[in-house]
Amino acid sequence: MGLHPSSNDRWDGDCVIMGDFNEVRTLIDLSFDGYAYTWAHKTANKMSKLDRFLVSKGLLASFPFLLALCLDRILSDHRPILMRELSIGYGPTPFRFFHSWFNLDGFDKMIEDTWNSLATVDLTGMINLKNKLQALKIVIKQWTKYAKKCSYKAKISIKSKVSNIDKILDQGGSDEEILSNRSLLLKELNDINSIDLLEAAQKSKVCWAIEGDENKNFFHGILNSKRSQLAIRGTLIDGEWIVDPLSVKSVFLKYLSTQFSTPVSPRICFVYQFTNRLSLEQQANL
């Protein structure tokens, strides 16, 4: 069974279609979690992915975490499929550095002083660099959090002072000193707002939406579609679909540990004696 492309063009809203489809043209085929095939011959020597959920692009823009879960089959030759929205957090998001921080007073000096004050005792330079960057990240988080609190308090104070000056001006009490103070306060408020807007622009990807692609709905629709297809929401363990983040991370860690573990026997043997060799301490660090 197939869908004619013109049938989707005549539909104005978002749609979800579920059924036995052999071909997909214009709609998006939701990626499967759980089992990979929805149909199997009774002898289990032939399997195929027949049943699908087809959704429109606009639906993924509103619900980017939609997925199709393939369940167990007992008597039927078709596995039941279930569509649901599932978003799983695997811990804190990666540390993000904002360009607006460079405009904060004292930020450059804080970075320089912190970096020079950090002392590490590791033998290798790579481990030293990693440890210093981790320690610097903690200091930056604390410093920027305190700076944001001070910026918020300063903004409230400036708005209150400007409001008081406007009341004086409204009553006819105007002189050069009052007007000069009002101009300075407005400049300080504008500087604070500029920093906030710069950070907000980076968070919301406004720069990329304006400079990279003017058709932002189409652009974000593609991103949500890729995100839905590539997202890891669970893993199949002994026929059971596991979605608990700790269990999923444990399975991935166990698998990668076996892939990168020390081989039982050396695969390559060098007879030549190299003159420059790592010390025992360097080998232990590696």
Side-chain angles (χ1 to χ4, degrees), residues 215 220 236:
N215 192 349
H220 288 295
L236 196 63

Side-chain angles (χ1 to χ4, degrees), residues 2 56 128 166 186 209:
S56 57
N128 279 336
D166 288 342
L186 291 178

Side-chain angles (χ1 to χ4, degrees), residues 100-110 143 147 191-192 195:
S100 59
W101 293 347
F102 288 109
N103 297 330
L104 298 175
D105 293 335
F107 181 77
D108 294 345
K109 188 175 186 307
M110 181 272 296
W143 192 92
D191 293 340
I192 296 175
I195 295 175

